Amino acid sequence: MADSASTVSQIYAQTLGVIEAVEPRIAGAIRSELTDQRGSLKLIASENYASLPVLLTMGSWLSDKYAEGTIGHRFYAGCQNVDTVESVASEHARELFGAEYAYVQPHSGIDANLVAYWSILAHRIESPTLERLGAKTVNDLSEEDWEALRATFNQQRVMGMSLDAGGHLTHGFRHNISGKMFRQHSYGTNPETGLIDYDKLLADAREFKPLILVAGYSAYPRRVNFARMREIADEVGATLFVDMAHFAGLVAGKVFTGEENPVPYAHVVASTTHKSLRGPRGGFVLATNEYAPSVDRGCPMVLGGPLSHVMAAKAVAFAEARQQGFQSYAQAVADNAKVLAEGLLKRGVTLVTGGTDNHLVLLDVSSFGLTGRQAESALLDSGVVTNRNSVPNDPNGAWYTSGVRIGTPALTSRGFGAAEFDQVAELITGVLKATSPLTTAAGTPGKAKYTIADGVAERTQAAANELLDANPLYPGLEL
Ligand code: PLP
């Protein structure tokens, strides 16, 4: 991954020395994190390994600058360099995704989604209300009109995918602000196929009449037809908001094209930068020109000062994603996920929807008599890092769950291909078969404790080490 690894090694080693002199425990944690990431099979579908240029860009004095506002229109003096950073990042994002407008300030995916929601409220509810009342801003409203407007915001309806069908918390879940801010109605998946049922979605949308239709997911292992989503939104007068946090890399890498590319169909698209897109931790929003002015109000509506050092790293990551090699990477992510899914299926593992056509695979581990929590822990003991996840209508709820979600973006960045992912499937199946739940005091199978047959975890870690050593992370980087 690094051409000039020895120079970068020196830079990092010296940097860690500087940190060590102030707080050795933090330098130690940074070193240990590299050791841990190098020594385990990272299969968390939402994680990746950012490049050294991306990581290095974040460690700069751009971090010290306040720059609330927008490019060329800041509430602080001396923002000329941040203006450059934000313009370059925004230009790359527009070009990469073919979007009319890109807003790169959100600090994370959740922030990006909040910016998206509020921009839609501003465009659809606030602006027409102000116009009707002959007011320029909310400051011009009477107390009575302002109260009425605030009440109207809360009565709006949002329709997103339910958490256990694979949606994200921010798509209207009751314990998230999106579920409290809006009246919400979730759509699920067809119980037989596990797939989105667009006809049912349309029927539900006709009845519920959402202001915002949310498409996108965290744990749905299939592609979405965004043309169909837009038709549904248009039919019920909703704004189509797509959260592409998980699959932005597959859009950028031109694996999702035509009706599977959300950008031409959505009014507003939000995303993270750190998952399949392989950038720094952060978020961004794309919008049509119609929605752009309200998206631009993200700061101060939802956000404080932008993280200029992270915006700079986003620019570097977008520039990387515009290079030819990124398309091969993104294609490999999807191809490898297929191999992983087929490898698991042929070894008898049950998969939600029976496979994948994106970057993630959702295992239903209940056929092994395990909860997701037990499977996740047993895999971790064996050097395989995953996360437990609900399956549709999960009887074990969101804490213990019945599923484990895995994905290919990180190990594909490390160079894993089909042969390696087939071996990963073998290792995962071996651990699941060798794991049993421990019974509770009442004699029933417990949901958290488990035991792994002797030697399996050690043998799995040893086999994982061989794969990892053959595909080193940040080769040549010695700390
Ligand atoms: N949207 C989706 C679909 C996600 O999967 C996630 C994170 O897992 C987010 C938003 C939130 O991203 P962040 O953790 O950066 O706030």
Side-chain angles (χ1 to χ4, degrees):
M1 288 172 77
D3 298 322
S4 50
S6 61
T7 321
V8 176
S9 285
Q10 284 167 15
I11 296 170
Y12 263 107
Q14 284 166 13
T15 306
L16 280 175
V18 172
I19 298 168
E20 197 136 42
V22 181
E23 179 44 284
R25 288 173 296 180
I26 295 302
I30 294 172
R31 280 204 176 88
S32 293
E33 185 58 31
L34 181 59
T35 308
D36 291 352
Q37 294 209 22
R38 278 180 163 162
S40 55
L41 292 170
K42 192 205 269 214
L43 285 167
I44 294 186
S46 51
E47 293 187 6
N48 213 324
Y49 306 105
S51 70
L52 292 173
V54 166
L55 295 177
L56 283 169
T57 305
M58 277 187 283
S60 87
W61 28 91
L62 283 166
S63 166
D64 298 333
K65 189 73 197 97
Y66 246 108
E68 282 178 20
T70 49
I71 301 165
H73 185 78
R74 308 279 181 186
F75 290 88
Y76 289 79
C79 295
Q80 56 283 359
N81 299 311
V82 180
D83 279 348
T84 302
V85 164
E86 189 170 347
S87 306
V88 173
S90 168
E91 176 195 301
H92 275 312
R94 281 195 311 274
E95 295 288 328
L96 179 61
F97 293 103
E100 289 177 5
Y101 183 75
Y103 183 67
V104 296
Q105 291 194 19
H107 308 163
S108 71
I110 282 197
D111 285 4
N113 288 357
L114 279 177
V115 170
Y117 282 133
W118 278 103
S119 69
I120 297 167
L121 285 177
H123 185 69
R124 299 277 313 265
I125 306 295
E126 186 180 279
S127 299
T129 307
L130 294 182
E131 204 171 314
R132 182 169 51 78
L133 296 171
K136 221 165 163 229
T137 78
V138 287
N139 293 338
D140 304 325
L141 295 180
S142 68
E143 269 313 299
E144 213 178 9
D145 286 337
W146 172 228
E147 274 305 313
L149 178 59
R150 279 166 21 115
T152 313
F153 283 142
N154 267 146
Q155 284 154 15
Q156 300 312 311
R157 297 160 200 259
V158 164
M159 209 170 140
M161 195 177 212
S162 70
L163 194 64
D164 72 347
H168 187 253
L169 293 166
T170 49
H171 300 176
F173 187 55
R174 280 209 175 154
H175 297 288
N176 180 265
I177 188 167
S178 58
K180 301 193 196 292
M181 209 159 83
F182 298 114
R183 295 185 177 161
Q184 57 90 20
H185 176 86
S186 299
Y187 57 87
T189 46
N190 180 301
E192 303 287 307
T193 60
L195 303 175
I196 293 173
D197 179 342
Y198 294 97
D199 291 335
K200 167 131 184 20
L201 212 166
L202 172 61
D204 285 2
R206 276 189 183 133
E207 202 162 307
F208 185 65
K209 297 189 179 49
L211 177 84
I212 305 173
L213 175 63
V214 187
Y217 52 78
S218 298
Y220 180 67
R222 295 292 174 177
R223 301 184 187 192
V224 173
N225 184 326
F226 295 107
R228 189 86 173 90
M229 284 289 187
R230 176 62 187 258
E231 270 169 32
I232 296 171
D234 283 348
E235 167 130 12
V236 300
T239 296
L240 179 60
F241 161 41
V242 176
D243 177 356
M244 65 168 185
H246 254 264
F247 53 89
L250 299 186
V251 178
K254 312 251 179 300
V255 177
F256 289 2
T257 56
E259 299 189 342
E260 293 164 355
N261 174 4
V263 181
Y265 297 101
H267 299 94
V268 181
V269 176
S271 184
T272 55
T273 37
H274 48 274
K275 303 182 200 263
S276 54
L277 195 51
R278 207 165 62 187
R281 293 200 84 80
F284 65 100
V285 177
L286 306 175
T288 57
N289 285 331
E290 185 192 355
Y291 280 81
S294 49
V295 168
D296 244 359
R297 290 169 56 195
C299 164
M301 177 66 91
V302 173
L303 306 168
L307 309 179
S308 308
H309 57 310
V310 182
M311 286 199 298
K314 288 175 197 173
V316 173
F318 292 144
E320 287 178 342
R322 291 184 67 191
Q323 291 169 3
Q324 198 60 35
F326 194 83
Q327 294 190 14
S328 322
Y329 163 71
Q331 190 57 53
V333 166
D335 293 347
N336 287 338
K338 271 212 171 353
V339 171
L340 184 57
E342 279 157 17
L344 291 164
L345 286 170
K346 75 181 179 208
R347 293 173 175 94
V349 181
T350 306
L351 303 182
V352 174
T353 78
T356 180
D357 50 29
N358 56 21
H359 63 295
L360 70 88
V361 179
L362 186 57
L363 286 67
D364 183 339
V365 293
S366 56
S367 59
F368 293 94
L370 300 172
T371 61
R373 168 125 187 225
Q374 288 160 330
E376 174 198 83
S377 304
L379 288 165
L380 184 64
D381 293 345
S382 314
V384 184
V385 189
T386 64
N387 70 281
R388 63 188 186 279
N389 207 102
S390 302
V391 299
N393 305 310
D394 201 314
N396 284 322
W399 179 250
Y400 292 109
T401 81
S402 305
V404 168
R405 186 188 67 166
I406 56 179
T408 51
L411 290 180
T412 303
S413 289
R414 250 179 115 138
F416 278 44
E420 289 82 3
F421 273 104
D422 187 58
Q423 265 188 279
V424 170
E426 169 80 20
L427 296 179
I428 291 174
T429 315
V431 173
L432 295 177
K433 284 185 177 159
T435 305
S436 327
L438 283 179
T439 45
T440 63
T444 53
K447 290 189 171 188
K449 299 211 169 116
Y450 60 95
T451 175
I452 312 176
D454 274 355
V456 171
E458 295 75 9
R459 280 199 297 278
T460 305
Q461 177 75 69
N465 287 348
E466 276 185 35
L467 292 173
L468 294 164
D469 290 347
N471 296 278
L473 176 62
Y474 307 124
L477 180 65
E478 297 303 335
L479 299 182

